[in-house]
Amino acid sequence: MFDFYLLVILIALILPVSSYILYTSEKGAFHNTGRNMRRMFLRTMALGGFLRCISLVVIVLLGNPEEDNLKTWINDLMHTFPTLFFIIAYMLLIQFFAHLYYSIRNQEYPITRRFTKSLDVTLFFVWAIIAIVTVAIKEYWLFLEIITGVLGVVFLAITFLMINYVVRLIIQLHEIENEDEELETEAQGGVSSTKDTSSRGTLAPIDPGEIFKRAFMLGLIFSLVTFTKGIYNFLYCTAAIDEYYPSHLSKTLFDFLVYTITEVVPLCHVALMGFTPKPRALPDSSQSIAPVPNTLAHAIQPRLRESEYMKM
């Protein structure tokens, strides 16, 4: 009965948060790539949460068995299938960071886009093949053994890509802040700036400090999640850990702790902090603003508008 209540509590945590994320995702079609990525990320996270709730209902009905039989195979499918959608969300977040970074530099990033999209399709295909083969040969326990290794590699790859783009984006934003400080200093001194800001591409109207904080928090939380899951799966596949489920914890309690840390926490962060639009204060039009050189106005004044890329 205790295990039953744990799963019910988990559903009660995930369902309302996922519903809120879906509700706050923007409606309609956008010509802006950044906003489309943001919406896709939100909806994929919400879908992963809904599928986790459905899988937990099935697990409750099956009793979360541990024997080597068909029920255990179905149980393992229910545990791993929603994880695939969270992985898609992680890949969308990587694409989002890559889009920000390369848009600032006015560059394309076809390799990253193709890799992330192909990885999503390949992962579903591999998951289905492993499931079909293991049930066909009636080696039900083998599904969890193999898919754990596959997911471990994927999680570690996601961690590397996410840290890579977050660090590069933060460095780029820091450089922009330094450039703006130089431009402001030159304007206050009455010196016309000759600094070329055209290389910033389509992301000139941004607030680097705000994006820095949000990118850092999103990257930190999600990379910690993927790294933890990847390392644990890797240790299990290399026999550094004898059993996937620790012997001193019940299977359901372990699942409760894992899903709370790796899914509920990121969902709550996205719902409350990560991608919630914040209105930006505009200067009082009644106040007199000293004229600035044209190049400085071109570089700084657009920052008074809300960036459509990082309404996070």
Side-chain angles (χ1 to χ4, degrees), residues 7 18 22 35 39 69 75 89 99 112 126-127 149 161 166 172 186 196 206-207 219 225 229 233:
L7 296 179
S18 300
L22 183 62
R35 293 181 71 178
R39 181 177 58 181
N69 52 36
N75 189 76
H99 172 73
T112 302
V126 170
W127 181 88
L161 288 172
V166 168
Q172 185 70 41
E186 292 174 358
D196 182 15
I206 59 175
D207 181 353
V225 167
K229 297 187 77 169
N233 287 7

Side-chain angles (χ1 to χ4, degrees), residues 27-302:
K27 308 295 190 298
F30 301 111
H31 298 293
N32 182 280
T33 305
R35 293 181 71 178
N36 279 324
M37 286 183 179
R38 173 188 179 275
R39 181 177 58 181
M40 291 174 61
F41 171 76
L42 289 173
R43 293 184 176 182
T44 306
M45 286 290 291
L47 179 58
F50 291 139
L51 290 174
R52 178 62 68 198
C53 292
I54 295 173
S55 71
L56 290 173
V57 171
V58 177
I59 290 169
V60 168
L61 296 176
L62 293 175
N64 211 9
E66 299 185 28
E67 301 81 10
D68 183 22
N69 52 36
L70 185 59
K71 287 178 63 177
T72 300
W73 178 81
I74 297 174
N75 189 76
D76 292 337
L77 290 183
M78 292 298 100
H79 277 295
T80 56
F81 185 66
T83 303
L84 304 183
F85 287 85
F86 282 105
I87 288 175
I88 293 177
Y90 302 152
M91 300 305 292
L92 286 170
L93 188 59
I94 291 172
Q95 286 188 59
F96 188 76
F97 287 140
H99 172 73
L100 286 171
Y101 174 75
Y102 287 110
S103 294
I104 292 174
R105 301 176 67 87
N106 202 18
Q107 297 176 356
E108 294 293 330
Y109 55 105
I111 296 178
T112 302
R113 287 201 303 265
R114 291 171 186 168
F115 173 76
T116 53
K117 291 178 180 179
S118 61
L119 180 61
D120 294 339
V121 175
T122 303
L123 186 59
F124 273 93
F125 179 76
V126 170
W127 181 88
I129 292 296
I130 296 173
I132 293 171
V133 171
T134 52
V135 74
I137 63 177
K138 296 183 178 181
E139 295 289 346
Y140 306 112
W141 61 273
L142 197 57
F143 172 78
L144 183 61
E145 298 282 330
I146 299 176
I147 199 65
T148 298
V150 173
L151 293 179
V153 173
V154 172
F155 280 129
L156 291 177
I158 289 174
T159 303
F160 171 77
L161 288 172
M162 192 170 300
I163 292 176
N164 173 59
Y165 280 113
V166 168
V167 170
R168 292 165 74 176
L169 177 61
I170 288 175
I171 293 174
Q172 185 70 41
L173 293 172
H174 182 66
E175 292 175 356
I176 290 178
E177 282 192 303
N178 290 338
E179 290 176 4
D180 286 346
E181 290 176 359
E182 294 176 7
L183 289 169
E184 290 173 357
T185 301
E186 292 174 358
Q188 291 171 0
V191 179
S192 178
S193 174
T194 59
K195 185 179 289 294
D196 182 15
T197 59
S198 61
S199 61
R200 293 184 184 181
T202 58
L203 281 186
I206 59 175
D207 181 353
E210 185 68 14
I211 299 179
F212 172 87
K213 291 185 293 185
R214 295 177 181 275
F216 176 78
M217 288 305 300
L218 282 168
L220 177 65
I221 291 176
F222 280 87
S223 60
L224 283 176
V225 167
T226 55
F227 178 75
T228 301
K229 297 187 77 169
I231 285 295
Y232 188 86
N233 287 7
F234 176 78
L235 293 176
Y236 172 69
C237 292
T238 56
I241 299 176
D242 295 331
E243 299 290 337
Y244 184 80
Y245 290 96
S247 57
H248 59 281
L249 293 176
S250 70
K251 185 176 180 180
T252 304
L253 179 58
F254 180 77
D255 290 334
F256 175 83
L257 295 174
V258 169
Y259 294 145
T260 299
I261 295 171
T262 63
E263 294 179 9
V264 174
V265 171
L267 282 168
C268 289
H269 176 73
V270 169
L272 301 177
M273 298 174 60
F275 272 82
T276 304
K278 277 188 175 181
R280 183 168 299 164
L282 296 177
D284 187 357
S285 59
S286 63
Q287 296 178 356
S288 60
I289 301 177
V292 293
N294 291 335
T295 51
L296 178 61
H298 176 74
I300 295 179
Q301 286 179 2

